[in-house]
Amino acid sequence: MPGRIEARASNFTQGMDIHRCRFVPYPSSAINAIAFSHSSAQSKSRKAPPTLRLALGRANGNIEIWNPLNGVWSHEITIHGGKGRTVDALVWIKDPDEEDYEGRMRPGKLRLFSIGYSAAVTEWDLAKRQPARHSSGNHGEIWCLAAQPAWQPKPDQTKERQQEEDRSFKGQNLVAGCADGSIVVLHTAHGDLEFFRTLQRSSAKKARILSITFIDRNNVAAGCADGHIRIYDTRNGNQIRSIGLGKGPTGGPKQILVWSVKCLPDGTIVSGDSTGEVRFWDAKTHTQTQRLQAHKADLLTMDISADGTTIFTGGMDRRTVVFQKTGSNKDPRGRRWAELYHRRYHDHDVKAMASFDSKHLSVLVSGGLDTNPIVMPVRAFATEHHRTLQYLPQEPPMDSAPATGLFVSWWGQEVRIWRMLKTAEFRSIEDDDDARNHKLVSRLGVKGEESITHAAISEKGDLLAVSTLAETRLFRLRPGKEGPMDSLRIKKLLLPPRVSKMGGTHLRISPDGKWLLNVTCENSILLVRIVGHESPDHPLRALPKHLLLKRLPRKDLQDDYRGTLGGYGRTIIRTAFSADSRILVVADLAGYLDSWVLEGKEDLIEAGHIPNGHADVSVSGSGSDSDSSSSSSGHHSVDSDVARPQRKNPGILGQSWHQSPNANLLPRLPSSPLILSFRPYPRKHLSNGLPNGNIAPSTHPTRSNTQRNSHSLAKGDDRLLVLSTTHEVYEFNVLSGSLTDWARRNPASVRPENFSKLRDRVMGVLWDVDEQLGRERVWLYGVAWMGCFDLGRDFLPPSDDYYRQLKRRRTLEEGAGSAVNPQDEDLRRPAKVRRLGENGKRESAVQIGESEESDESEDVEGEGYGPSSTLLRIRKGEGNQGSLEAKRPIKAWEAGNWWVTTKYRPILGVVPIKAFDMGETSESNEKKPGIEVALIERPAWDLDLPPRFDGDQEWGEQGLVGVLK
């Protein structure tokens, strides 16, 4: 549906035309596994390590890496899966610390492993986003995976025992439970992954291993499908004990499935099974000491806090249940476990959860079939909201060609090209049907098993580039025989062999369509020259020569990332071309910006005299021939075994890319950049000043200029807008390596209050600039908001109350949502908290707000996409008892030059679809209407999910639907 955003503030008198779209069927996938890279801090006064990461595995084989970043929760990268792949379990380990040649202790490297419906365990290279190694054997499919606890020195040992400890393996091995009942031990020493031994297999026919955990460094406990918990010694492979759970409930399956098994610090084994019960088993006698009914259906996942005082469970009934010990600390034997509270944060099965506890970060992250990760506060559960993280990608999987009204979306092995009708065309249609304002003009499938990592379309809509981890392809797009509005003809163009076979993680086509940027899996930066734009008689083609750009060495990064994360910090995540296509900037996770400038005048006469062979051209910094920077910074060269010719100032068609003269002056950002975008400017300024438009006279080599290059720098606008993960706004003059005047007047400390309070990270940017009208607007959007900055005005300084609230929030918040409003505090607390007395007998439950039978308090609102607090008051019998509007209220704040709305959510992406010339002026004195965009939403209710377990929890079965209508 087309619409229009108009900001109501006096400085936002014009808005933009929006095609509100929901026809893009982007398939989000269920969450099967969650794991933190570090175990919780031993002391709650210790801060979380800066390299802390959260790995999240999905059913489509994707692995997402999140950075908690003191509660910011940024989605850094996605390791894409493939056809028929899935992730069922994730495990992090950390190699032992080592002493380097200078005598300093270097922290061990973090390593991530996964399993997924196969007999193989995969280790992942985060920097390359590819598998590092696999381990498989003669055993069944692996169903569960666990890591050995980290080695800890034991005090008060004899000398002989201490020497034996020193000779023992101090790393972390892996154990994998298989479908045939076997348990495999995998050795991880020396950065490898190899088979070590198979533990004694049970003689039972249905002893499939469903869950597994370490009791200590030598013993493991495995939950089986035949209703038993088996304990093994990994040193000799023998089975120590088999614990039976008995028969299933009456009317149900005879066998109890032990879906989850964990171990407390004191050795007590905790199990969760298909009956929904939590059972506790004594560490020495292995007898049952307590059992609690936690769920009304299968208990699927469980996690335990580091100190062993809190247990979290999740199951098919959508509940998240928290247990704690009650009673007096003076009598440990008299203390009993009891349910503290339960809530329904999810809309479907809860399949995975993981917790982390440290200073200023105490959270539980859970996920399941509803695809949304939920961050729940642990210590501050009664005073802080939970938070729903986005299930859509941080970088929108779409691109557009504004000149033709085309936009591209991709997922899996499929690319779809859509065409949007112009606003005038659509308004001429009497039927106001959303299906009439768009048309699917082409679908493109990618052969092979790898999923598409990135795609890009040129501004004119004549080129399409698609990449996977295995290959990169370039296509020519032309109008079909049925007409330019109905179909497209697609033809594959040849790329240089080493570019097409390298694959890629990020693609970009320059605004003039002459350069294709491909960032490979090894973080190499490749540029391919495309010719044929000059005349319709010349077909588009990619030249067989490509350029390899090298980044500056970052020595100060080695100490931060070489230890635990290796070269992960140098992973390239964002790229940007300037409007005249003569400046290129890339950014990595560590916050570094590298820039290059295109020098020389284009000589297309040379294009017809390039030999048929291909050549690699290595472009390094100006005046530097050193190649050592690539290996020291986590950057690997392409085909290093092939010798390259060392040439000074190499180039293509008389042009070459060189490091920006002041590239080293661009500062390192305090957090990873999420947005890189050059300011556009009128197209009349895009002329390169060459005769005949773009063909330069032949420039012969001279003694001082061995190549036919002109050393003039780009004359276009070099102002680069950068937004970091913490929503700090910067603007740099790339050629001078300095902040712009606007950025100096508007530091991060004076950004708008309401912008800094946004929880969802920024996803994209759109420009609305007009020199004649003096309009300098930039539109930003996240998954649940869309806002606009007026860069022609300075920010208003925040109030003193804002700084006091910010300091208080930093002190009180524990990494989930914002603090609970004191007026709503009684509405956010659990419905009831069960307590046990010191003698172990159950006392009367403390009721908070309502009875146990209604069970309505479970559907609660946090910082996500659920019901509002008004709905909570109605359930509590407070406030207006009238009807509730189906639509959410639009929230808009006026804060100087900043305006925002939350009308659109969740947003998959926003792309411009109308070509507009910012240099032209209207004949009349009226202002321009702004830009035209397609805003693509992907609501959660449109997702194709399997049927869920409802039981007696639905309002409809309790006669409560009419209350909410």
Side-chain angles (χ1 to χ4, degrees):
M1 299 292 294
R4 184 169 181 82
I5 280 187
E6 291 197 12
R8 300 303 181 187
S10 59
N11 53 318
F12 291 116
T13 57
Q14 296 293 333
M16 65 178 176
D17 289 318
I18 288 182
H19 291 266
R20 190 173 184 180
C21 312
R22 292 181 179 177
F23 55 81
V24 178
Y26 180 84
S28 187
S29 186
I31 299 174
N32 287 346
I34 299 176
F36 278 101
S37 59
H38 296 70
S39 58
S40 298
Q42 298 295 327
S43 174
K44 295 182 180 180
S45 61
R46 296 182 58 182
K47 295 183 179 180
T51 54
L52 177 68
R53 296 296 185 272
L54 175 73
L56 188 149
R58 295 189 179 269
N60 61 359
N62 288 358
I63 299 177
E64 300 175 2
I65 305 299
W66 290 73
N67 185 357
L69 198 63
N70 297 325
V72 172
W73 294 101
S74 169
H75 180 184
E76 292 185 334
I77 66 169
T78 297
I79 303 175
H80 292 272
K83 184 184 300 184
R85 301 178 190 173
T86 184
V87 176
D88 291 326
L90 290 169
V91 165
W92 293 84
I93 69 169
K94 182 174 175 291
D95 287 338
D97 299 344
E98 296 181 354
E99 185 177 350
D100 61 8
Y101 62 92
E102 297 180 354
R104 295 182 300 177
M105 294 299 296
R106 292 284 186 180
K109 182 180 179 180
L110 285 172
R111 302 166 63 183
L112 177 63
F113 301 86
S114 72
I115 59 172
Y117 283 152
S118 68
V121 177
T122 303
E123 180 180 358
W124 295 94
D125 188 328
L126 299 184
K128 298 181 180 180
R129 311 187 200 187
Q130 286 183 326
R133 57 187 57 87
H134 302 275
S135 177
S136 60
N138 187 21
H139 49 74
E141 296 179 351
I142 299 176
W143 278 60
C144 52
L145 187 68
Q148 190 176 18
W151 178 85
Q152 297 291 341
K154 298 180 180 179
D156 303 331
Q157 287 187 341
T158 62
K159 185 177 181 180
E160 293 77 9
R161 184 61 178 173
Q162 185 65 39
Q163 292 177 353
E164 184 179 350
E165 284 276 331
D166 295 339
R167 292 191 299 267
S168 64
F169 174 63
K170 295 182 176 59
Q172 295 175 267
N173 287 330
L174 302 177
V175 290
C178 306
D180 59 1
S182 61
I183 297 178
V184 179
V185 182
L186 301 176
H187 201 42
T188 62
H190 311 296
D192 203 353
L193 180 64
E194 58 185 9
F195 172 80
F196 183 63
R197 68 158 47 101
T198 299
L199 305 185
Q200 180 181 344
R201 185 179 302 179
S202 173
S203 59
K205 295 182 179 179
K206 298 182 180 179
R208 183 170 65 250
I209 309 298
L210 301 179
S211 56
I212 194 168
T213 188
F214 274 89
I215 301 175
D216 51 39
R217 281 184 60 87
N218 299 321
N219 300 313
V220 298
C224 306
D226 62 350
H228 284 74
I229 299 174
R230 293 178 172 87
I231 302 174
Y232 296 89
D233 190 331
T234 59
R235 292 168 294 186
N236 52 32
N238 295 332
Q239 178 177 316
I240 300 175
R241 190 69 180 269
S242 178
I243 307 172
L245 275 67
K247 296 182 179 181
T250 304
K254 295 182 180 180
Q255 301 292 345
I256 297 177
L257 305 178
V258 186
W259 288 118
S260 182
V261 60
K262 297 291 182 180
C263 187
L264 297 177
D266 61 0
T268 300
I269 299 174
V270 186
S271 65
D273 52 56
S274 56
T275 65
E277 290 185 341
V278 179
R279 309 193 187 199
F280 298 85
W281 309 89
D282 186 82
K284 297 181 179 180
T285 63
H286 300 142
T287 56
Q288 181 176 294
T289 59
Q290 192 177 355
R291 60 190 293 182
L292 298 170
Q293 188 67 43
H295 298 268
K296 300 178 181 180
D298 292 45
L299 189 157
L300 301 178
T301 182
M302 181 167 49
D303 196 68
I304 298 176
S305 62
D307 56 5
T309 60
T310 307
I311 298 175
F312 314 94
T313 64
M316 290 180 60
D317 59 355
R318 296 172 286 155
R319 289 185 177 186
T320 300
V321 186
V322 180
F323 297 89
Q324 283 188 353
K325 272 192 174 182
T326 59
S328 174
N329 294 328
K330 299 179 180 180
D331 184 15
R333 296 182 179 181
R335 302 190 65 186
R336 304 283 289 177
W337 288 93
E339 178 184 325
L340 182 63
Y341 67 91
H342 66 265
R343 293 185 179 179
R344 285 191 291 173
Y345 297 105
H346 293 272
D347 295 328
H348 218 294
D349 299 1
V350 184
K351 300 184 65 176
M353 57 176 52
S355 62
F356 185 85
D357 194 6
S358 67
K359 186 178 181 181
H360 302 320
L361 186 64
S362 178
V363 294
L364 172 74
V365 183
S366 60
L369 292 180
D370 60 358
T371 74
N372 280 315
I374 303 292
V375 182
M376 184 188 85
V378 176
R379 285 199 301 262
F381 73 93
T383 60
E384 187 173 317
H385 290 292
H386 76 280
R387 178 177 174 185
T388 302
L389 301 182
Q390 64 190 50
Y391 64 90
L392 299 174
Q394 177 64 46
E395 187 175 9
M398 56 186 57
D399 198 5
S400 69
T404 57
L406 296 175
F407 78 88
V408 180
S409 59
W410 62 88
W411 58 84
Q413 289 82 31
E414 184 179 4
V415 178
R416 296 192 183 186
I417 305 176
W418 311 81
R419 183 187 179 274
M420 299 296 300
L421 296 177
K422 301 292 185 181
T423 304
E425 297 178 62
F426 181 70
R427 288 175 179 171
S428 65
I429 301 176
E430 295 181 1
D431 185 11
D432 195 24
D433 185 8
D434 179 63
R436 301 289 298 274
N437 74 330
H438 71 275
K439 182 176 180 60
L440 178 63
V441 295
S442 183
R443 297 175 66 174
L444 187 66
V446 177
K447 295 181 179 179
E449 297 182 354
E450 299 293 338
S451 296
I452 296 173
T453 56
H454 206 262
I457 189 171
S458 60
E459 288 193 357
K460 297 180 180 179
D462 54 356
L463 289 172
L464 173 67
V466 181
S467 67
T468 67
L469 293 177
E471 60 181 346
T472 301
R473 297 182 181 181
L474 181 65
F475 301 93
R476 169 73 187 275
L477 305 180
R478 290 181 294 176
K481 297 181 180 180
E482 301 175 359
M485 309 303 176
D486 298 322
S487 63
L488 290 175
R489 288 185 295 171
I490 301 178
K491 179 183 178 181
K492 182 180 178 181
L493 302 180
L494 295 179
L495 287 172
R498 295 180 185 175
V499 176
S500 62
K501 296 180 180 180
M502 283 298 296
T505 60
H506 200 93
L507 296 173
R508 182 80 63 183
I509 299 177
S510 61
D512 60 7
K514 296 181 179 179
W515 295 96
L516 170 63
L517 168 68
N518 181 25
V519 178
T520 69
C521 305
E522 297 182 344
N523 292 303
S524 300
I525 304 171
L526 307 181
L527 282 172
V528 178
R529 182 65 163 86
I530 302 171
V531 296
H533 299 275
E534 299 75 21
S535 172
D537 299 331
H538 293 82
L540 290 177
R541 63 188 179 96
L543 297 183
K545 179 190 293 185
H546 71 274
L547 304 179
L548 169 64
L549 306 186
K550 291 186 178 180
R551 293 182 283 172
L552 293 174
R554 309 292 186 179
K555 295 182 179 180
D556 58 333
L557 189 64
Q558 298 177 8
D559 294 338
D560 297 340
Y561 285 91
R562 176 180 289 179
T564 55
L565 291 176
Y568 178 71
R570 296 244 65 190
T571 301
I572 297 174
I573 55 173
R574 297 293 184 271
T575 62
F577 277 103
S578 61
D580 61 353
S581 305
R582 297 182 67 89
I583 305 177
L584 171 63
V585 176
V586 302
D588 56 32
L589 285 173
Y592 284 109
L593 304 176
D594 289 272
S595 59
W596 295 267
V597 179
L598 180 62
E599 299 182 6
K601 295 182 178 180
E602 185 179 29
D603 184 6
L604 291 179
I605 300 176
E606 184 184 350
H609 301 282
I610 296 178
N612 293 329
H614 60 273
D616 286 333
V617 181
S618 178
V619 181
S620 60
S622 177
S624 174
D625 296 327
S626 174
D627 294 337
S628 61
S629 63
S630 62
S631 61
S632 63
S633 60
H635 171 88
H636 303 276
S637 61
V638 181
D639 295 336
S640 58
D641 56 330
V642 180
R644 298 189 185 88
Q646 297 295 328
R647 293 168 27 176
K648 184 177 180 180
N649 298 331
I652 299 177
L653 305 184
Q655 294 180 310
S656 60
W657 289 89
H658 294 266
Q659 288 280 358
S660 176
N662 295 301
N664 60 333
L665 297 181
L666 291 175
R668 179 184 178 183
L669 303 178
S671 59
S672 304
L674 297 180
I675 294 296
L676 291 183
S677 183
F678 281 93
R679 282 204 191 197
Y681 50 92
R683 298 185 183 277
K684 65 182 181 181
H685 294 169
L686 295 179
S687 174
N688 52 19
L690 301 179
N692 301 325
N694 57 6
I695 300 179
S698 179
T699 306
H700 299 284
T702 62
R703 182 174 300 176
S704 59
N705 183 15
T706 58
Q707 303 296 326
R708 295 182 294 181
N709 297 332
S710 173
H711 296 286
S712 60
L713 296 178
K715 298 181 180 180
D717 198 333
D718 67 333
R719 289 178 293 177
L720 176 70
L721 181 71
V722 181
L723 269 78
S724 68
T725 301
T726 54
H727 278 184
E728 296 178 343
V729 184
Y730 305 92
E731 191 177 50
F732 298 103
N733 287 316
V734 176
L735 297 182
S736 62
S738 61
L739 290 171
T740 63
D741 294 337
W742 180 89
R744 294 178 186 277
R745 297 193 307 269
N746 299 273
S749 59
V750 298
R751 57 184 171 172
E753 298 180 20
N754 292 315
F755 177 67
S756 63
K757 293 178 181 179
L758 293 172
R759 294 282 178 173
D760 296 314
R761 300 298 93 187
V762 62
M763 296 171 58
V765 59
L766 300 164
W767 288 93
D768 186 8
V769 178
D770 191 302
E771 284 189 344
Q772 299 294 334
L773 300 178
R775 187 166 63 222
E776 298 182 60
R777 286 190 248 166
V778 55
W779 290 87
L780 306 172
Y781 65 91
V783 72
W785 58 271
M786 190 169 190
C788 181
F789 278 124
D790 184 0
L791 300 184
R793 301 180 58 181
D794 292 339
F795 292 152
L796 296 178
S799 61
D800 295 337
D801 293 339
Y802 166 73
Y803 289 111
R804 286 193 293 267
Q805 293 175 4
L806 180 63
K807 183 177 180 180
R808 181 177 181 271
R809 185 167 69 247
R810 289 176 179 175
T811 304
L812 298 181
E813 291 183 5
E814 297 290 344
S818 59
V820 173
N821 190 322
Q823 297 178 356
D824 299 337
E825 188 170 353
D826 60 330
L827 304 179
R828 304 291 180 172
R829 290 177 178 172
K832 58 182 178 180
V833 177
R834 296 187 179 94
R835 294 180 180 178
L836 294 179
E838 298 182 5
N839 55 1
K841 295 183 179 181
R842 181 183 298 275
E843 295 180 352
S844 58
V846 179
Q847 303 292 334
I848 302 180
E850 64 178 352
S851 63
E852 179 180 356
E853 287 75 11
S854 66
D855 205 21
E856 296 172 16
S857 64
E858 298 176 9
D859 288 300
V860 296
E861 159 68 358
E863 298 199 354
Y865 318 116
S868 64
S869 58
T870 305
L871 180 58
L872 283 173
R873 284 194 173 89
I874 292 178
R875 294 178 191 172
K876 297 289 185 177
E878 302 176 5
N880 183 17
Q881 299 293 334
S883 62
L884 292 177
E885 295 186 8
K887 295 184 179 179
R888 300 178 180 277
I890 301 175
K891 297 180 181 179
W893 300 276
E894 298 179 5
N897 64 343
W898 165 249
W899 178 89
V900 66
T901 179
T902 58
K903 176 180 179 180
Y904 307 98
R905 60 169 63 189
I907 299 176
L908 179 63
V910 183
V911 292
I913 60 171
K914 178 182 177 182
F916 58 95
D917 194 337
M918 294 171 294
E920 297 179 357
T921 58
S922 303
E923 296 180 0
S924 62
N925 295 327
E926 296 181 0
K927 292 186 178 181
K928 288 188 176 182
I931 59 176
E932 185 177 345
V933 301
L935 187 150
I936 295 89
E937 295 175 299
R938 190 63 172 135
W941 58 80
D942 283 348
L943 299 179
D944 186 14
L945 299 178
R948 70 183 185 185
F949 173 85
D950 291 327
D952 58 349
Q953 303 177 45
E954 285 304 292
W955 297 334
E957 298 181 10
Q958 299 181 11
L960 300 177
V961 175
V963 177
L964 300 177
K965 290 185 178 182

